Amino acid sequence: MPTRVHEFAWPDRVIVGTIGVPGARTFYLQVRAGTQIVSIALEKQQSALLAEKIDEILDQLITIEGNPFSVPTSTPLELVDNDQLEAVQEQFRTGAMSLGWDPTTAQVVIEAYPITDADADADDDGDGESLDEDGANEPEMLLVRMPVGTARAFAKRTREVVGAGRPMCPLCGYPIDPDGHICTLPEV
């Protein structure tokens, strides 16, 4: 079965945002081009690692003599996006992701794939075709290509969103909930 690819070559907007309160937030990678919007759920750690690795790629590209890709050292002000997520309809929950660089277009490339479910084979009737006739079980992926300035702004915002969670306890290092906290110190 062919994979349904949600592809964004030059997105109007690409952000990580959340729904919910700290401690119970759901993270989303949301991409928009024109009227097409795709939102995929991420783990907090996936979001943080994505921002870190994008910055690493961009920082490494800056070191190339003459900075041929015009990689900014900081976030261009005109690309700062602090707006909320747009209407979220979760396309899928992210499992595997890959991150790359396309020198032909000078773009950072993100690929995201849904979590694979071993139980999907149990729902199959044995003839290799899905029981779902509306295509809901068709394999899919998200492919986002973003220019260097957009990638720098994306990484900055993502770090801010990840960091806006619950504060950490200075004694035990675990998050402090709004309704209180009891330290669980490690055994010595």
Side-chain angles (χ1 to χ4, degrees):
M1 180 182 305
T3 299
R4 180 177 177 202
V5 178
H6 306 281
E7 185 172 359
F8 295 85
W10 293 92
D12 299 327
R13 185 176 198 221
V14 54
I15 61 166
V16 165
T18 61
I19 295 178
V21 297
R25 298 185 295 172
T26 301
F27 285 74
Y28 289 96
L29 168 59
Q30 187 173 77
V31 189
R32 177 176 46 82
T35 58
Q36 180 188 8
I37 298 176
V38 172
S39 303
I40 60 171
L42 298 168
E43 294 297 324
K44 179 179 181 178
Q45 295 80 3
Q46 287 174 308
S47 303
L49 190 58
L50 185 59
E52 177 186 328
K53 294 302 179 185
I54 286 174
D55 272 339
E56 282 180 17
I57 287 172
L58 296 174
D59 291 345
Q60 188 175 29
L61 290 168
I62 287 174
T63 65
I64 297 174
E65 188 175 330
N67 191 3
F69 302 110
S70 300
V71 177
T73 56
S74 61
T75 302
L77 289 177
E78 65 274 11
L79 296 177
V80 171
D81 183 346
N82 292 322
D83 292 338
Q84 298 295 317
L85 292 168
E86 297 177 47
V88 174
Q89 289 188 324
E90 184 177 311
Q91 194 66 40
F92 59 82
R93 178 160 287 284
T94 305
M97 296 182 80
S98 68
L99 182 63
W101 170 251
D102 184 348
T104 61
T105 61
Q107 291 178 306
V108 172
V109 181
I110 299 171
E111 294 179 355
Y113 302 88
I115 292 175
T116 57
D117 185 10
D119 296 331
D121 293 338
D123 295 336
D124 197 310
D125 64 1
D127 66 2
E129 293 188 26
S130 172
L131 294 175
D132 192 353
E133 294 178 11
D134 67 359
N137 287 336
E138 116 183 280
E140 58 188 324
M141 70 170 287
L142 174 66
L143 174 61
V144 180
R145 298 172 178 276
M146 59 181 141
V148 293
T150 302
R152 188 64 87 184
F154 173 86
K156 179 181 186 292
R157 177 196 167 110
T158 301
R159 283 191 313 277
E160 291 169 354
V161 168
V162 168
R166 297 174 289 173
M168 298 304 229
C169 175
L171 298 175
C172 69
Y174 288 106
I176 300 172
D177 291 322
D179 57 345
H181 172 75
I182 298 174
C183 286
T184 309
L185 298 175
E187 296 292 323
V188 183

